[in-house]
Amino acid sequence: MAIKDYLRERFFPHIWCPGCGHGTVLNGLLRAVEQLGMSRNEIVMVSGIGCSARISGYIDFHTLHTIHGRALAFATGVKMSRPELNLIVPMGDGDALAIGGNHFIHAARRNIDITAIVMNNRIYGMTGGQFSPLSGPDITATTAPFSSIDPSFDVVELSKAAGATFVARTTTYHVKQITDYIKQAILHEGFAVVEILSQCPTHFGRKNKEGSAVDMMKRYKEVTTPIGSKAKQENPDLIERGIFVQKERPEYCKEYEKMVERAMKGR
Amino acid sequence: MSKKVKFVQGNEACVEGALYAGVTFFAGYPITPSTEIAEHMAKRLPQIGGKFIQMEDEIASLCAIIGASLTGHKVLTATSGPGFSLMQEALGYAVMAEIPCVIVNVMRGGPSTGIPTHGSQGDVNQARWGTHGDHAIIALTASGHQDVFEVTVTAFNLAETYRTPVILLFDEVVGHMRERLVIPEKGELPLVERLKTSVKEGVDYHPYLPREDGRLPMSDFGGVHRFNVTGLYHDMWGFPSTKPSVVHGLTHHLVDKLENRVNKLAMYKEYFLDDAEYILVSYGSAARSALHLVKDRRFRGERLGLLELQTLWPFPGDIVREKCESARAVIVVELNMGQVMQSVKMAVSDSEKVFLANRIDGVFIAPVDILNILRLIQGKGV
Ligand SMILES: Cc1ncc(C[n+]2csc(CCOP(=O)(O)OP(=O)(O)O)c2C)c(N)n1
Ligand code: SF4
Ligand SMILES: [Mg+2]
């Protein structure tokens, strides 16, 4: 099926600003689904609220655009009730890890078979450029006019610690990796996290003098490096890209089925 | 076959009602005095191949059942005041996206952590207006276990019929009290199953285009129709819209589908109303004391009657007015500062004749508490 056939073109134009990284994520995601040859009927995309969350409206899957931060809780209900469906949950950094942080760690702890995509622009795009728990210190935002003092989460470390069994990170500069990692995340049985650094030129870029969208993407090339590279040893400030975790652990819905069997036997 | 008779708590009667109605998915978080509902569900659902999940909080619980409803399940969550407060945003989502689900609030004293182990009826107005924005809601209650069972079944039926969340407002007294429950035979109580679309695969399906009778046939997630569900104002495809005509139309649809059927949705019981000079209006556990007093006084020849409300929202104002028209005085008996009394005052033609008999100290209202108010109104002193 052509990529175009996965889109709801009837609902275009989309709401994203020119140069927004979220469109690149959409592209990479659809290529992953296309390459896996998945039917649109077997995918449910659940999203919360944010510029990133709007991605669900444009794709012709079963789509559930919910409330801020709670997408994983809704997705848990969908998955538990129909385990044969594939759940993809794209989230903004604020959506996933500020208001939604609790649901994020619990979904990871359960190891429920959901693909979580964190579209990390280190800012609240939709509400106009406030800092998020992924902004980190020394960035300028509308709610950090004197530059931020809040330390940031590391999505990879947090996901690992919470129990995610697939964890990867890449950026909108590395488009092929987006497709590759999302493909592997979908195929993985368990809670999979793919963090994608995604530029918001409108708010983060402008406030922090990072230039145009293209400049911001080029920066992603400069500030990131493959896991364990020599460059990383020389410059510890570089952000690593790659697959950090890929392991097996009992998946929640499968475990539930076993419990149902026990219950039906009356034990 | 002889009927199944049980001696159970109100919370278990609710579980039995939900199972009878066909619930297959429950998500919840423990909280007194509703916890037994989750505990019984955790045991019963796996035995019938259903799903129980203990979520990380009440927000997640309501979100999870909404997700499960979209795949075609009948779904339930149960909580009490603090958890119900947390659920308000997702409740509005279920209203807006028109997702059938049932939410039990076994009321305890509030605000805040309040008095967890004691009864109250303080969340009546929260059920109506707890979530933001114009909307309509159905909230039902009951005073005894057979009724708890039946209104629970009704709650599922109404949720499916009108594609709406339905709130069951029980209270600690009913939830924890033990009483006889007769489980009806299969088929004895009517059940409403989900209305599925007849639109065939490949034909454009409009998930939010009401039929002539106002109902919206659904298609399960995972089925042949793919559509968008959102909490934003949306068009007939479920796609976000800010078009004034769409916003206006949807607001009216959400409110009118329930408010225009207020009399049809009204469930109530009446005792000795025909010639009543004084009428008690009550609901939930408080109605038990009210009925006790009414029977006691009738025995002594006093013309006292009781209107027991089971539908609290949409408020059955016309019925209350009609029933109370010729009474000298109306006493609303409830375990709060007069939340239903306000609605009764608005409903009757002479609000001056409406009084309140309440308790707000965590102690269950006794017949004598109501009698004292009645005597004051009659000018007979206490
Ligand atoms: C309960 C609640 N609080 C706040 C908001 C306002 N709000 C909407 S989107 C958003 C943040 C979006 O940031 P992020 O999740 O990073 O997504 P982005 O827009 O950057 O893609 C906020 C705070 C809301 N919709 N709901
Ligand atoms: S505000 Fe930022 S995140 Fe939102 S669409 Fe514009 S560029 Fe993208
Ligand atoms: Mg963001």
Side-chain angles (χ1 to χ4, degrees):
Chain A
M1 213 159 91
I3 291 286
K4 213 173 79 79
D5 296 330
Y6 286 103
L7 291 172
R8 289 174 175 149
E9 282 179 298
R10 180 198 280 156
F11 301 139
F12 279 46
H14 58 68
I15 64 153
W16 294 319
C17 309
C20 176
H22 295 347
T24 310
V25 177
L26 168 64
N27 189 336
L29 171 83
L30 291 185
R31 279 174 204 283
V33 170
E34 192 241 357
Q35 287 173 20
L36 290 173
M38 296 169 81
S39 137
R40 291 171 296 180
N41 283 350
E42 59 183 7
I43 307 176
V44 180
M45 177 174 277
V46 186
S47 67
I49 297 292
C51 297
S52 40
R54 286 301 189 97
I55 194 171
S56 59
Y58 307 127
I59 310 185
D60 195 14
F61 303 152
H62 302 284
T63 55
L64 182 55
H65 176 240
T66 66
I67 52 180
H68 193 31
R70 320 295 175 195
L72 284 169
F74 283 88
T76 298
V78 175
K79 182 70 186 176
M80 269 285 277
S81 61
R82 285 283 299 265
E84 70 274 21
L85 295 174
N86 289 290
L87 271 288
I88 302 177
V89 182
M91 295 171 282
D93 44 318
D95 202 34
L97 290 168
I99 191 163
N102 199 31
H103 310 304
F104 188 90
I105 58 174
H106 285 278
R109 172 181 62 79
R110 291 186 188 104
N111 195 33
I112 187 163
D113 187 15
I114 291 174
T115 299
I117 301 171
V118 181
M119 298 155 77
N120 181 8
N121 53 18
R122 299 174 63 201
I123 201 93
Y124 288 160
M126 177 141 273
T127 40
Q130 300 76 32
F131 71 91
S132 91
L134 286 158
S135 301
D138 304 322
I139 69 112
T140 308
T142 58
T143 46
F146 310 111
S147 93
S148 56
I149 58 163
D150 279 50
S152 82
F153 278 134
D154 178 324
V155 180
V156 169
E157 292 304 322
L158 183 74
S159 306
K160 271 199 225 171
T165 45
F166 180 96
V167 182
R169 176 195 284 142
T170 187
T171 86
T172 50
Y173 180 87
H174 305 87
V175 199
K176 287 224 171 79
Q177 269 183 357
I178 295 182
T179 300
D180 180 31
Y181 294 170
I182 292 178
K183 251 164 70 179
Q184 296 197 51
I186 291 173
L187 291 176
H188 178 79
E189 190 182 287
F191 191 69
V193 180
V194 181
E195 179 190 10
I196 302 167
L197 305 185
S198 170
Q199 73 279 5
C200 168
T202 306
H203 297 297
F204 191 95
R206 213 170 38 180
K207 284 259 174 211
N208 292 284
K209 309 213 164 35
E210 289 199 350
S212 68
V214 176
D215 296 332
M216 290 181 82
M217 286 171 76
K218 281 189 186 149
R219 239 180 90 82
Y220 285 150
K221 180 175 172 245
E222 287 152 21
V223 302
T224 65
T225 183
I227 297 174
S229 70
K230 201 156 157 250
K232 174 75 181 176
Q233 284 159 22
E234 283 158 15
N235 179 5
D237 285 345
L238 289 177
I239 301 164
E240 287 176 302
R241 276 182 286 112
I243 297 173
F244 296 79
V245 180
Q246 194 164 20
K247 63 176 183 196
E248 275 182 39
R249 191 157 71 78
E251 192 275 328
Y252 194 76
C253 298
K254 291 268 157 66
E255 290 303 296
Y256 192 87
E257 274 165 30
K258 289 185 203 160
M259 192 252 280
V260 166
E261 272 173 36
R262 289 199 301 274
M264 284 182 160
K265 278 190 212 134
R267 272 194 295 131
Chain B
M1 208 179 91
S2 68
K3 287 205 176 168
K4 209 166 148 199
V5 182
K6 289 189 140 194
F7 187 68
V8 292
Q9 288 192 325
N11 284 342
E12 200 179 341
C14 172
V15 168
E16 293 293 348
L19 291 167
Y20 185 94
V23 71
T24 45
F25 193 99
F26 180 98
Y29 190 84
I31 184 168
T32 305
S34 79
T35 307
E36 295 84 4
I37 297 180
E39 289 172 342
H40 284 287
M41 281 297 178
K43 188 163 180 201
R44 300 289 294 279
L45 280 175
Q47 291 174 336
I48 58 165
K51 305 285 166 77
F52 167 92
I53 184 168
Q54 182 167 308
M55 294 299 286
E56 51 273 20
D57 60 28
E58 289 85 348
I59 301 173
S61 301
L62 182 46
C63 295
I65 68 163
I66 293 170
S69 181
L70 277 161
T71 67
H73 290 257
K74 287 191 179 178
V75 299
L76 178 74
T77 185
T79 187
S80 186
F84 192 54
S85 292
L86 286 181
M87 286 179 181
Q88 294 305 322
E89 191 193 5
L91 174 63
Y93 183 85
V95 168
M96 185 59 132
E98 303 188 72
I99 312 295
C101 57
V102 178
I103 300 151
V104 183
N105 173 0
V106 186
M107 292 182 282
R108 66 193 221 180
S112 189
T113 309
I115 178 162
T117 51
H118 290 62
S120 161
Q121 296 175 322
D123 305 347
V124 175
N125 281 342
Q126 185 190 22
R128 177 64 188 91
W129 292 115
T131 196
H132 57 281
D134 272 317
H135 66 284
I137 199 86
I138 300 175
L140 310 176
T141 185
S143 60
H145 292 10
Q146 208 60 45
D147 289 350
V148 166
F149 184 100
E150 285 184 23
V151 301
T152 302
V153 174
T154 305
F156 280 93
N157 287 346
L158 296 178
E160 292 298 337
T161 305
Y162 299 108
R163 279 193 63 170
T164 181
V166 175
I167 298 162
L168 286 169
L169 278 181
F170 298 134
D171 58 70
E172 189 276 337
V173 179
V174 168
H176 281 163
M177 174 180 81
R178 283 187 184 273
E179 203 171 56
R180 192 178 125 98
L181 172 71
V182 185
I183 314 249
E185 300 285 348
K186 223 176 142 191
E188 218 173 300
L189 299 183
L191 299 183
V192 177
E193 299 308 329
R194 186 154 302 179
L195 180 66
K196 300 275 172 78
T197 180
S198 56
V199 173
K200 296 274 173 305
E201 181 168 12
V203 181
D204 211 358
Y205 161 65
H206 302 107
Y208 291 100
L209 183 65
R211 295 198 310 197
E212 226 157 79
D213 63 0
R215 292 187 69 184
L216 291 165
M218 292 181 81
S219 175
D220 294 345
F221 268 21
V224 296
H225 298 295
R226 298 173 303 275
F227 55 94
N228 190 51
V229 178
T230 179
L232 288 164
Y233 274 91
H234 49 270
D235 60 20
M236 64 185 175
W237 285 283
F239 199 73
S241 172
T242 53
K243 238 169 101 178
S245 60
V246 170
V247 177
H248 183 265
L250 182 51
T251 307
H252 260 294
H253 165 71
L254 294 177
V255 172
D256 296 350
K257 72 176 181 180
L258 301 181
E259 293 291 342
N260 287 354
R261 295 184 169 89
V262 51
N263 289 341
K264 197 173 164 198
L265 293 168
M267 290 168 64
Y268 57 92
K269 292 177 143 183
E270 48 179 290
Y271 301 91
F272 310 105
L273 285 190
D274 288 348
D275 63 343
E277 274 184 329
Y278 294 92
I279 292 181
L280 308 181
V281 175
S282 191
Y283 55 95
S285 63
R288 298 175 73 94
S289 285
L291 181 59
H292 189 99
L293 180 71
V294 166
K295 286 184 175 162
D296 185 54
R297 291 294 114 187
R298 277 281 165 179
F299 191 65
R300 289 153 214 252
E302 286 183 50
R303 281 153 60 188
L304 189 61
L306 168 66
L307 174 61
E308 180 189 338
L309 302 178
Q310 292 184 318
T311 302
L312 293 179
W313 303 112
F315 190 75
D318 289 348
I319 287 159
V320 169
R321 175 166 53 253
E322 188 199 311
K323 303 283 178 198
C324 297
E325 202 57 45
S326 49
R328 279 200 200 175
V330 176
I331 305 174
V332 181
V333 183
E334 55 185 335
L335 303 176
N336 60 44
M337 295 284 277
Q339 297 191 16
V340 165
M341 181 196 68
Q342 292 297 344
S343 297
V344 172
K345 273 187 185 254
M346 282 198 284
V348 300
S349 31
D350 176 13
S351 68
E352 299 277 302
K353 72 174 187 187
V354 178
F355 300 87
L356 176 67
N358 70 343
R359 275 197 90 133
I360 49 153
D361 55 358
V363 178
F364 186 56
I365 196 162
V368 66
D369 296 322
I370 308 166
L371 182 64
N372 287 343
I373 302 292
L374 177 66
R375 292 296 180 246
L376 276 176
I377 294 164
Q378 291 170 326
K380 292 182 184 162
V382 260

